[in-house]
Amino acid sequence: MSEQIRIGILGYGNLGKGVECAIKQNPDMKLAAVFTRRDPAAVSILTEGVKVCRVEEAAAMKDEIDVMILCGGSATDLPVQTPEYVQYFNVIDSFDTHAKIPEHFAAVDEAAKKSGKVGIISCGWDPGMFSLNRLYANAILPCGKDYTFWGKGVSQGHSDAVRRIEGVADARQYTIPVEEALERVRAGENPELTTREKHTRECFVVAEEGADLARIEEEIKTMPNYFDEYDTTVHFISAEEMKRDHSGIPHGGFVIRTGKTGWNEEYGDVIEYSLKLDSNPAFTSSVLVAFARAAYRLAKEGQCGCKTVFDIAPAYLSAMDGETLRRTML
Amino acid sequence: MSEQIRIGILGYGNLGKGVECAIKQNPDMKLAAVFTRRDPAAVSILTEGVKVCRVEEAAAMKDEIDVMILCGGSATDLPVQTPEYVQYFNVIDSFDTHAKIPEHFAAVDEAAKKSGKVGIISCGWDPGMFSLNRLYANAILPCGKDYTFWGKGVSQGHSDAVRRIEGVADARQYTIPVEEALERVRAGENPELTTREKHTRECFVVAEEGADLARIEEEIKTMPNYFDEYDTTVHFISAEEMKRDHSGIPHGGFVIRTGKTGWNEEYGDVIEYSLKLDSNPAFTSSVLVAFARAAYRLAKEGQCGCKTVFDIAPAYLSAMDGETLRRTML
């Protein structure tokens, strides 16, 4: 075993814990330290013998960490953290606010070029593996149409929105792709699908005692942006049922491109990529860790600046060398 | 429109014609010439104003072609042609004899490093897009199991094998994945599947007049390597039915990796990539053309040597620039 890649985790929520678990599955890596904004004494991690530090201590440890995986949120954490920490480390994040990616890229690229480090942004499954599949399929089939479906899975944003309604003690929202729409796409019909035709939403709600259930249901179903354009089902359940049946964070989805080949576009093709995940953060973390290996190698080659999944040759993600990859996977 | 990439096609069979059609769909490319071992006067191509030349004329045209796409067969053509033509051109092939890829890589790499050209080998869908999906899925889920299913589609090798049986005038063989096996894999059962459990084979045979149909069927079903390990169905049909119902070359398949994430591998994940293709050669050609764009760009950057799909950053395949890709596909 050659030298292990030393990984730092910044932010120890579901994603940070997922990264810790993924490192355990990759013998060419080791967890160097976890950084938290909380009191380190109050944060207990799974890996024995690894220290939990205050975020303020990170910069001073820049020579002890090869790649820092930033596990904060896209709304307020990462726009600040990624450009900041790429001053000291090769970094990687899962920034997922699609509309703000160009802005985030520019900020990280500028800081990374100054520091001579590599910063990989928007890594996970969407953006991430779904984006890669959109790119490959579009490059192969220039005459075609893209479809992305999400689910069945828990949307944290929609669950939070329901929790903010008066009288709601807890809530979980599942996004569900409409099977009939998927089948029409796969059949090459190239349908124009409305929001309502693509996904349905299902909510499980624990109401506070004495709350007006009819009003809660109405408020959910008519909530602008979140629910009003969807067919939504609401189920009221007990706190026990919530804990027993809905404590997981499953997710997944489908990226499909249908296209035409042939001199007169006489042939139809369907390219489909799908994920079915028991744990959204555990899988996202596994993607982050594979790309952290790439960040380490790119930096070793002397590269710097902001990269996305589009800019990284697939071989950089694998622990195997080129010869083994060609022999076993090509 | 900046300068177009000038593509040469060497070998004008189903694959060469497919490349010609794919170039038509990519405005940043143009067909420069077709090279054939036949009499050029006897070869009529689809693109107006493009010349058909003898293969012997190719080397002299090295300054008129940016990337030569080699459309010969893997058995005898490509092992010779790819190392030969990479002396003069950036080249790309669809070499698909999996077991001989390391040897082919070494020969092309040596010649390409001498000439300073780029040679991309084993490009298509398997090897090619299926290989990429195996690599990505393995890098993300180190604890897991891979499955590849092919079909439903025409196997040329098996069709040819049936045609060699005495009394057979024509034949078409379809490889069909077993739906039940696919479902067990998707359900995360991690089954150990025998050859017979993964695929069935279906043959459509036009027999010569007076031929012994029972003997033909028996010879097919017991043919070593090709059929003896499979459940095979044989249908005798007329030449008219063959032409009407089986003149296409559809294919496709599934690459699935199931894996575990979490500290105690408590979460299950399924990554699935699938293709459903009306025309196998038309799709393979479309992949070749996208990677020809990459070969052109890599060569412009001054790179040389043999590459596979594993070595090429996805962005190189797309006609869009990085900023547009990030804005529209990430």
Side-chain angles (χ1 to χ4, degrees), chain B residues 132-144:
Chain B
L132 277 173
N133 277 280
R134 285 188 280 263
L135 191 162
Y136 277 118
N138 274 270
I140 296 168
L141 297 177
C143 302

Side-chain angles (χ1 to χ4, degrees), chain A residues 20-21 24-26 46-47 98 101-102 105 121-122 126-136 138-143 146 186-187 260-279 282-283 286-287 290-291 293 308-318 320 325-330, chain B residues 20-21 24-26 46-47 98 101-102 105 121-122 126-136 138-143 146 186-187 260-279 282-283 286-287 290-291 293 308-318 320 325-330:
Chain A
E20 183 182 20
C21 297
K24 186 187 176 198
Q25 296 189 327
N26 287 280
L46 300 164
T47 313
H98 289 262
I101 286 174
F105 182 92
I121 62 161
S122 301
D126 195 5
M129 295 311 298
F130 275 17
S131 323
L132 277 174
N133 277 279
R134 284 188 281 262
L135 191 162
Y136 277 118
N138 273 269
I140 296 169
L141 297 177
C143 302
D146 289 310
R186 287 180 184 132
K260 296 287 183 187
T261 54
W263 190 252
N264 297 307
E265 303 189 357
E266 62 270 35
Y267 304 122
D269 300 308
V270 183
I271 305 175
E272 176 167 345
Y273 180 80
S274 69
L275 295 173
K276 202 171 73 186
L277 314 171
D278 275 356
S279 165
F283 186 82
S286 297
V287 179
F291 278 91
R293 181 180 289 120
T308 74
V309 295
F310 296 159
D311 306 311
I312 296 169
Y316 283 93
L317 307 185
S318 172
M320 296 181 192
L325 285 176
R326 287 189 293 275
R327 204 181 56 239
T328 61
M329 297 211 185
L330 196 58
Chain B
E20 183 182 21
C21 297
K24 187 186 173 197
Q25 295 188 328
N26 287 281
L46 300 165
T47 313
H98 289 262
I101 286 174
F105 183 92
I121 63 160
S122 300
D126 195 6
M129 296 311 299
F130 275 18
S131 324
L132 277 173
N133 277 280
R134 285 188 280 263
L135 191 162
Y136 277 118
N138 274 270
I140 296 168
L141 297 177
C143 302
D146 288 309
R186 287 180 185 132
K260 296 286 182 188
T261 53
W263 191 251
N264 297 307
E265 304 189 358
E266 61 269 35
Y267 305 121
D269 300 307
V270 183
I271 304 177
E272 176 168 345
Y273 180 78
S274 69
L275 295 173
K276 203 172 71 186
L277 314 171
D278 276 355
S279 165
F283 187 81
S286 298
V287 178
F291 277 91
R293 182 181 288 119
T308 75
V309 296
F310 296 160
D311 307 311
I312 296 169
Y316 283 92
L317 308 185
S318 172
M320 296 181 192
L325 284 175
R326 287 189 292 275
R327 204 181 57 238
T328 61
M329 297 210 185
L330 198 59

Side-chain angles (χ1 to χ4, degrees), chain B residues 107-179:
Chain B
V108 175
D109 197 46
E110 193 190 335
K113 280 183 175 149
K114 257 186 217 156
S115 67
K117 301 287 184 184
V118 169
I120 301 177
I121 63 160
S122 300
C123 192
W125 59 274
D126 195 6
M129 296 311 299
F130 275 18
S131 324
L132 277 173
N133 277 280
R134 285 188 280 263
L135 191 162
Y136 277 118
N138 274 270
I140 296 168
L141 297 177
C143 302
K145 198 162 158 51
D146 288 309
Y147 295 88
T148 303
F149 291 85
W150 294 272
K152 181 182 177 177
V154 172
S155 162
Q156 302 286 9
H158 288 78
S159 300
D160 290 344
V162 175
R163 280 190 209 104
R164 285 192 293 265
I165 294 175
E166 202 194 316
V168 171
D170 197 5
R172 199 77 80 254
Q173 194 271 179
Y174 294 90
T175 305
I176 304 168
V178 175
E179 192 59 42

